[in-house]
Amino acid sequence: MTTQEPAGPGLPAAEQLSPVSRTALAVARGRAYESARIDPLFVDPYALAFVTAAGEPPRPTGKPLGPLAARLLMHGILRTRHYDDRLLAAGARQVVLLAAGLDTRAHRLPWPGGTRLFEIDLPPVLAFKDQVLAAHDARPRCARTALPADLTDPHWPDRLRAAGFDPGQPTAWLAEGLLVYLEADQAARLLTTVGELSAPGSRLLVEQGRDTSRTPVEEGLTEMTSLWRGGLGPGTADWLDAHGWTTRFTSLDELAATHGRTLPPASGTVTNGFLEAVRG
């Protein structure tokens, strides 16, 4: 079952998505690429449909991927599998996807009975997404609520509660690929709000930040990397630990070894990885 807040008249084309929102198409392309493998770490049956509906090529064309692009592709693949596993392991019957983009976990993961999942993103993103899902007769495997909202708007928690979110229940929060597009103060405000909405035992899944000022310039990637603002950077875990959470770090190298994948080489010191924070 899916419910959705009104998103305004008409369904926008993918061309109406903002530059940041369009990065979700790159994530979908990576998920489609992985889903087509003989031995995929996950299968997203709708990823290719999003890319096709947007009129974009299903996979990068032309010359081979540069080192940063290749590493980001593997990062996105391992990240997807890791968050799949950790969301299910959390055991929460209330799940919130912050800036959900073209995430289809509501439709493809085996959620326990009684799970309610909220997807928050900008109205054009959710309208495009639901248009494609409806065209493919996609059915969620939990109670899904798509909530059009801007996470920089201080009133989004009110809309979330009005949609049925219960702050008294433990929640599994996912902020996948989000904080890097926010300024440090925006990221801190968002995570402060998430903490205020989180009952003890709630979990937050998020990337460990990086120093985006040291991002190499690579042809074909600047359209995306120029949008990076860094969020809380390498201090993300420290910030969470100081604000009522207890964090655990899983490195990208650890995940690659676990799943038998080879990471493309990276220049300099790499601290890429993922945080799982538990609310005390």
Side-chain angles (χ1 to χ4, degrees):
M1 178 185 70
T2 298
T3 60
Q4 180 164 353
E5 294 283 304
L11 288 172
E15 288 76 10
Q16 293 177 263
L17 300 179
S18 70
V20 171
S21 294
R22 287 189 67 84
T23 63
L25 290 167
V27 175
R29 185 183 295 110
R31 289 176 175 166
Y33 170 84
E34 178 65 17
S35 298
R37 284 179 58 114
I38 297 175
D39 58 343
L41 297 184
F42 58 85
V43 174
D44 185 338
Y46 309 107
L48 183 59
F50 293 130
V51 178
T52 302
E56 298 204 351
R59 56 179 52 85
T61 57
K63 50 188 178 179
L65 294 178
L68 179 58
R71 192 170 179 91
L72 287 176
L73 174 61
M74 185 54 64
H75 179 279
I77 290 167
L78 292 169
R79 179 178 73 183
T80 298
R81 173 59 186 268
H82 177 66
Y83 287 157
D84 284 357
D85 292 344
R86 299 317 303 159
L87 283 171
L88 292 176
R93 294 300 191 270
Q94 185 167 254
V95 181
V96 180
L97 310 184
L98 300 168
L102 302 178
D103 186 301
T104 63
R105 289 184 172 93
H107 299 78
R108 63 181 181 81
L109 293 186
W111 298 103
T115 299
R116 184 156 193 190
L117 185 147
F118 299 87
E119 296 182 8
I120 305 176
D121 212 318
L122 298 174
V125 178
L126 294 177
F128 169 71
K129 177 179 184 174
D130 283 348
Q131 183 181 40
V132 174
L133 291 174
H136 288 78
D137 196 28
R139 305 295 176 89
R141 303 174 71 177
C142 59
R144 171 182 177 252
T145 298
L147 184 64
D150 186 340
L151 291 170
T152 64
D153 180 344
H155 299 294
W156 72 263
D158 299 329
R159 299 197 61 198
L160 181 60
R161 282 188 287 260
F165 174 83
D166 181 1
Q169 291 187 23
T171 303
W173 300 87
L174 175 62
E176 183 172 15
L178 169 60
L179 297 189
V180 72
Y181 293 101
L182 302 179
E183 301 287 353
D185 60 334
Q186 293 176 318
R189 281 197 299 271
L190 176 63
L191 294 182
T192 296
T193 301
V194 168
E196 293 168 349
L197 293 169
S198 295
S202 294
R203 293 175 184 268
L204 169 65
L205 300 171
V206 66
E207 285 88 73
Q208 169 69 332
R210 69 179 77 194
D211 180 359
T212 56
S213 68
R214 302 175 63 182
T215 302
V217 176
E218 188 169 295
E219 183 181 356
L221 283 182
T222 54
E223 185 175 337
M224 178 180 67
T225 57
S226 65
L227 300 171
W228 289 355
R229 298 294 177 262
L232 294 171
T236 304
D238 292 338
W239 190 97
L240 289 169
D241 286 332
H243 289 81
W245 301 86
T246 300
T247 58
R248 175 182 179 272
F249 174 73
T250 302
S251 72
L252 193 63
D253 295 276
E254 179 183 341
L255 284 178
T258 297
H259 296 296
R261 295 298 177 88
T262 301
L263 278 176
S267 59
T269 303
V270 177
T271 57
N272 297 53
F274 309 96
L275 300 172
E276 181 169 359
V278 180
R279 191 70 174 169

